[in-house]
Structures are given as structure tokens and as C-alpha cells.
Amino acid sequence: MVTATAIADLCIFLLTWNVGTHTPRNQDLSSLLSLNGTTTCPDNQLPDIYVIGFQEVSTTPQVLKIFNDDPWVLKIADSLSDHQFVKVDSKQLQGILITMFAQHKHIPHMKEIETEATRTGLGGLWGNKGAVSIRLSLYGTGVAFVCSHLAAHDEKLKERIEDYHQIVDNHKYNAQGYRRIFDHDFVFWFGDLNFRLSGDMSAWDVRTDVENQRYADLLKLDQLNLLREKGNAFSLLEEQQPNFAPTFKFVEGTNDYNLKRRPAWCDRILHRVQSNIYPGITLSANQLSYQSHMDYTLSDHKPVSATFNYKVEAANQTYTDEELHEMTHGSASSPATPNLFIAELEQW
């Protein structure tokens, strides 16, 4: 009889939001971050880890950045301050920002934390488009979280595909065995990917289908779905199909579509797991939720979140995550918890 021992069993919360250069102002993020008593994690527990990606954060000099942190990172930290979370790391490239927070108890199980950025806007000369990422050894496995903002507008599909390949080619890390994004055991890729609907449906016809919740019909025209099927980009990742209305483009401050653009699912969350690449070890990331947050009307995009049950299990044997780390990252890896003192200093 095969018995499985859990090395790790975590709930990871991912969020992407194009905030349209707005600062947090007086935004209450309790509902957005599942801090209002209802979560999609097992047993209604708070997530173990939050990884949040923003696009179009304000980069004007007038926006005060304390200790080099963006106001959105400070807002997240403040929102989580009563719940024993620690900031693990952040990375910003112009308006693209990723930040990671974890429950304090998980920090000793995080090693070799790195960040990376790739510019794609204006041929890579300007960081208005591109990607930022955080990679780490999490309970012995290699995990990469990638937040990207790809080329805009309906007709720029070719540019979006080029952006994706430029990010994959140019994103490089130092961790042994995990030099590139898809070397990782787990990959979570999210952001304003900017994919639109193919064809020539009018904005008004798209809105009518949305109002009648004909999402499945519209998603057959979704550029991301179509190019994944063809293998042009994002084909190594999988996505639970959205069962919510398109998250772009809204009149700011409302839930009304701005029909200057056709409604589209620009804001997406995808993932990849290499399930059985280590003898006796099973990796999984069961998706627990995928939703938009219509109550947030700050920008012309709606925030989108997903939760995953990240599991690492050993069959008929007992591994510590230290032993798994040595198996996956190699014995020549850098010392354990190099970033721990930083995380300790940056708890809020």
C-alpha cells in the first residue's frame, strides 16, 4: 500500500490588477485579499502566501516611495499587518510590480530568493511593457512567479507573442538547475496579458453576450486560448477558463463597460506544474478559485485572483524539505535562508 507524506500543503493566493496609474488612496483591500472572514482556501483559512502583481502603478516623482517601496506594497503590508505576514520580496519595472508576502512560519522554508525583470516596451528600451518575477526554493521545490504586462490593442497580437518569447528568452536566474522560467517545478504566470477577442464583433454585440453570460461562446474567440492551442505562446501553461465577465474596459468608478474598446479578458492567471519529475515525489497545484472582483472600480480593469493548493508529497518515504532542496537545487546551492534577515526586518 502506497502512503503519501506531505512535505508541504499550502494555499497560495495570486492577484493581478492594472490600477491605471492610481495610488491606493482610501481603498479598503479586505475583501480583495480575503480578509473579511471568507476565503477560498481549505477550511476557510487565510492563504499561506500572497503573490500580487500590479500593472500601470504610478511612476511619477510626486508619488512618495518610502524605503523604495511603492504605495501599493505599503498598502498590502498595512492590510496584512494584523495577520502575521512578512514581506518576502518585491520587484518593480516602471509600472509593473510584483510583491510577495508569507506567513511568518514559512520563511525558514524559503531559500535562494531572486527577482528578475525583462523590458519589452519600445523594443526593450523602455519598461512600460515587460515582466517582473520572483523565484525561490519553496519547501525544496523551484517556484517562479511571473507578472507581465504585454502589448496593448486588438491588432497587436503579434507583438504580444513577441513579448512573451522575449520574456522567456531573457529572464535568467542564478539558482542551480533553475536558470530559466520553465526550468522551475512550479510556474505561476499572471498579469495584464492584454489578449483580446479575434474577429470583428462590435463592442455592443460583445457586451450583449456578456450580459447574457455567454462566456463560453466568447472565449472561443479569445486570442490567448487560440494561440495556446496553436502552440504560439503560453502553451506550456494551463488556465482554468474564466467564468466571470471580461475585466476590461470599464468606465472608471463604475461597472459599466467603456465601449471605446471591445470588452476582453485581458487579466489572466496561468500555471504549470511538473508533477512527477523526482522519484517518489509528487508535486501538485490544484486550483481552488478563479474570479474577478467587481466591487473594485478604481481603474478601467477589474482585479482578478486565483487560489491554488500547492502540495509536495513523498510516497513511502519521509523527506524533509531540506533534503528535497538538496535533491532539486543541488548540494552546491547557496546557504539556507539568505533572505531571512531581510524578511524579518520588513515585517509590518
Side-chain angles (χ1 to χ4, degrees):
M1 179 179 176
V2 177
T3 58
T5 302
I7 299 172
D9 185 354
L10 310 181
C11 184
I12 297 179
F13 178 101
L14 305 179
L15 175 75
T16 178
W17 192 7
N18 183 323
V19 295
T21 72
H22 293 290
T23 57
R25 301 180 192 167
N26 57 350
Q27 292 283 301
D28 182 351
L29 302 185
S30 298
S31 173
L32 188 62
L33 300 176
S34 298
L35 301 174
N36 55 359
T38 302
T39 79
T40 53
C41 293
D43 302 320
N44 203 38
Q45 297 294 308
L46 282 179
D48 294 279
I49 294 171
Y50 287 89
V51 186
I52 300 169
F54 295 103
Q55 306 84 43
E56 294 191 22
V57 299
S58 177
T59 57
T60 59
Q62 291 80 12
V63 176
L64 178 63
K65 297 189 177 181
I66 303 174
F67 303 121
N68 293 321
D69 262 328
D70 184 89
W72 281 103
V73 176
L74 298 176
K75 184 71 174 182
I76 298 292
D78 183 60
S79 300
L80 296 175
S81 61
D82 294 333
H83 302 282
Q84 295 296 305
F85 281 86
V86 173
K87 179 188 160 194
V88 177
D89 215 335
S90 291
K91 181 69 172 179
Q92 185 167 356
L93 173 66
Q94 299 288 2
I96 312 169
L97 170 66
I98 190 170
T99 187
M100 180 177 182
F101 287 80
Q103 290 186 25
H104 192 278
K105 64 184 178 182
H106 298 302
I107 298 298
H109 304 279
M110 298 178 174
K111 303 176 178 66
E112 300 188 64
I113 302 165
E114 296 181 59
T115 62
E116 178 63 300
T118 297
R119 304 170 186 267
T120 62
L122 297 178
L125 297 176
W126 184 246
N128 62 320
K129 296 295 188 292
V132 290
S133 70
I134 298 173
R135 72 81 49 204
L136 71 159
S137 168
L138 178 62
Y139 283 88
T141 65
V143 186
F145 299 97
V146 183
C147 169
S148 65
H149 191 187
L150 307 185
H153 304 305
D154 282 35
E155 69 278 8
K156 298 291 186 179
L157 176 59
K158 179 183 176 184
E159 287 80 357
R160 285 188 277 282
I161 294 172
E162 290 173 352
D163 285 353
Y164 166 81
H165 287 289
Q166 194 172 344
I167 293 163
V168 171
D169 290 344
N170 294 339
H171 243 60
K172 295 174 184 174
Y173 308 104
N174 296 316
Q176 181 175 317
Y178 297 100
R179 304 296 192 199
R180 297 177 178 273
I181 292 171
F182 289 114
D183 292 340
H184 286 77
D185 309 315
F186 295 84
V187 177
F188 298 93
W189 192 315
F190 49 96
D192 179 0
L193 306 186
N194 252 323
F195 289 106
R196 311 302 173 93
L197 298 180
S198 61
D200 55 4
M201 282 183 71
S202 71
W204 291 266
D205 287 340
V206 174
R207 182 179 63 180
T208 298
D209 276 2
V210 170
E211 290 171 346
N212 290 297
Q213 297 188 13
R214 291 197 283 264
Y215 304 149
D217 291 339
L218 289 173
L219 284 164
K220 292 175 183 176
L221 304 173
D222 176 72
Q223 291 177 343
L224 178 58
N225 284 340
L226 294 172
L227 67 88
R228 286 181 61 243
E229 289 173 7
K230 293 178 180 177
N232 293 335
F234 290 97
S235 56
L236 293 176
L237 297 141
E238 57 185 273
E239 182 194 27
Q240 185 180 106
Q241 285 298 280
N243 191 28
F244 48 84
T247 53
F248 174 83
K249 173 179 175 80
F250 289 89
V251 177
E252 290 186 3
T254 77
N255 284 327
D256 300 323
Y257 284 108
N258 180 341
L259 297 182
K260 292 179 180 178
R261 297 282 187 274
R262 296 190 301 163
W265 285 276
C266 291
D267 310 283
R268 311 290 275 269
I269 299 174
L270 301 90
H271 75 288
R272 179 185 192 231
V273 184
Q274 300 193 68
S275 302
N276 298 295
I277 57 173
Y278 306 114
I281 302 291
T282 300
L283 311 180
S284 62
N286 180 37
Q287 189 162 351
L288 305 174
S289 69
Y290 195 18
Q291 60 190 324
S292 65
H293 298 265
M294 295 294 289
D295 291 343
Y296 289 84
T297 62
L298 183 69
S299 76
D300 56 356
H301 288 252
K302 298 301 181 186
V304 171
S305 69
T307 49
F308 291 87
N309 187 189
Y310 155 97
K311 276 189 179 181
V312 181
E313 296 174 297
N316 287 334
Q317 53 193 316
T318 301
Y319 279 104
T320 66
D321 64 286
E322 290 282 352
E323 291 168 332
L324 182 56
H325 176 269
E326 191 162 314
M327 181 196 302
T328 59
H329 287 70
S331 57
S333 303
S334 58
T337 59
N339 219 34
L340 176 58
F341 76 99
I342 299 175
E344 293 283 1
L345 286 173
E346 292 190 348
Q347 63 180 310
W348 306 89

